[in-house]
Structures are given as C-alpha cells and as structure tokens.
Amino acid sequence: PTTDVPILLERVIDGEVRRQLHIARWGLVPRWAKDPSVGARAFNARIETVAEKPTFRAALGARRCAVPVDGYYEWKKQGPRTKRPYYVHAADGSPILFAGLYEWWKDPSKEEGDPERWLLSTPVITTAAPPAGSGPPVREELAGLHDRMPAPMDKDTLDAWLDPAAKDGAAPAELVRDRAYHAAAGWVLDPVGPAVGNVRNNSPELITPQPDLLEG
C-alpha cells in the first residue's frame, strides 16, 4: 500500500471509448478527503460492501479499473505461531487482472497547473475465498490459504467491469463476484521463502518455489 501500481481503465474521449494504462497510488483517496493519508487505510475494498462505503461508493458507479499483476503473496497459518508465505500466480505466466476502482484527488495546497496537484489512486477489490469442498484442487488450496482473496477477472468480466457506460456499479460488481473463482481456475500456489516479508527485498528469488519449506 501507498506504492505506485499500474491500472487499466476505459474513458470516453472525443466520443470514442479508449482503453488506457495509468500509474496510480495503491490506496484510494476519495475526492472529499482533507489529505491523502486516508489512502493508507483504503487499499482493499470488500466486494460485499463496496457499494455502501462512502470511500468507494462514488468510484464504483463511475470509475472502475483493473489492476494487472504477475501474482501476489499470502501467508498461510501452519500452527498457532507459524505462517508460511505462498506466491499465487497464473500457471501459464499470464498477467492476472484484479478488479479495482480509481479516483482523482485534488491537493488544495498546490497551485493550478502544478503537475502534482492531482493524485490518482486505486484500491483492489477483494472477495471471499472459495469455501472448502467447492470443487477443483486450486479452490481447495485457496480455501486453506486465507478467508479473503483479490477478485480476479476473465476477459468478459473485464469488459463489463471497465465499461464507462455502465453507471450502476452494482451489476458489474455482482458479475465480478460470481465469476471470481472461474477466473482463478488457472492459478497455482507456490511456497516461497520468508524474505518476501521484508518490503526492502526485491529480487527474482522471491518468487522461486521452495517446496522444501513444507517438509519436516
């Protein structure tokens, strides 16, 4: 949270719908915020309540986006005091597209024309993890990993979610929720090393599978 991430969105420009890639701060800052610090607490939006929360409600109706990622990390409880990190990603190496929102916040302390006057920010939409016993092995793995997961989208869901003509965000949100497990069907969960727990670490080794961690 609070770092820069890419987002994919659609806007109507000169009467045509254009799909664009932008860079946004992870953690949504609503237009009514007095300062951007609120974004540090708004990096995830629960799909069950996103239409009700004042922080996210306006963006759901008009400013929906996708957050493309290679994968994400999650820590799985192995006992009362032990957790192991997993790297969740698509088996074929393709990007995962999480449902997200975006918002523009104007900094009142900066002058008109200052390129830093406007802040673009985004949260990731989350949904409930699959229930145990719900089907394919990957669903069982996700069920045992955590009770929540980022909400992924397949192509059809992505098109509906980004559509700027859809002003009622409830229907696209319901579609994302209904299709999330299908979109995650091609995921794999690899155990990785504990170095992922330190944000200062950044190397290819962080996503190298280490199944030996599960032995013993």
Side-chain angles (χ1 to χ4, degrees):
T2 74
T3 58
D4 289 342
V5 297
I7 63 171
L8 188 68
L9 56 88
E10 288 186 352
R11 301 170 66 192
V12 178
I13 301 175
D14 297 330
E16 295 185 6
V17 176
R18 306 281 182 87
R19 186 167 289 187
Q20 301 175 329
L21 191 67
H22 292 262
I23 298 298
R25 179 184 293 183
W26 184 18
L28 189 132
V29 181
R31 295 186 175 189
W32 45 259
K34 294 182 179 180
D35 62 73
S37 63
V38 65
R41 303 184 300 276
F43 54 89
N44 285 342
R46 297 171 68 95
I47 201 163
E48 298 88 349
T49 59
V50 66
E52 306 165 10
K53 299 294 184 180
T55 301
F56 307 118
R57 188 167 51 211
L60 177 65
R63 290 172 291 280
R64 297 178 299 273
C65 68
V67 183
V69 303
D70 292 319
Y72 72 99
Y73 299 110
E74 189 60 80
W75 293 74
K76 180 179 180 179
K77 290 184 178 180
Q78 301 289 318
R81 297 183 180 180
T82 305
K83 291 183 178 181
R84 292 251 168 83
Y86 281 74
Y87 177 54
V88 185
H89 61 101
D92 62 3
S94 61
I96 297 173
L97 295 168
F98 294 147
L101 307 171
Y102 70 94
E103 193 62 273
W104 287 98
W105 179 78
K106 184 169 67 174
D107 189 341
S109 69
K110 298 189 182 299
E111 297 292 332
E112 193 73 39
D114 187 331
E116 295 186 359
R117 191 178 193 192
W118 289 94
L119 172 67
L120 179 62
S121 61
T122 183
V124 169
I125 304 288
T126 68
T127 189
S134 62
V138 67
R139 292 193 185 185
E140 292 296 313
E141 292 183 78
L142 289 169
L145 184 63
H146 196 276
D147 62 350
R148 305 289 299 177
M149 58 181 262
M153 298 182 289
D154 56 23
K155 183 183 183 303
D156 291 341
T157 306
L158 173 70
D159 292 342
W161 179 254
L162 295 186
D163 184 3
K167 300 302 182 183
D168 177 9
E174 191 63 27
L175 181 62
V176 168
R177 188 177 181 180
D178 290 346
R179 299 279 295 174
Y181 303 158
H182 171 78
W187 289 4
V188 293
L189 286 66
D190 289 330
V192 292
V196 303
N198 188 330
V199 296
R200 290 189 296 270
N201 294 330
N202 184 18
S203 69
E205 287 72 27
L206 296 181
I207 60 173
T208 301
Q210 298 190 26
D212 57 296
L213 292 175
L214 303 182
E215 299 176 357

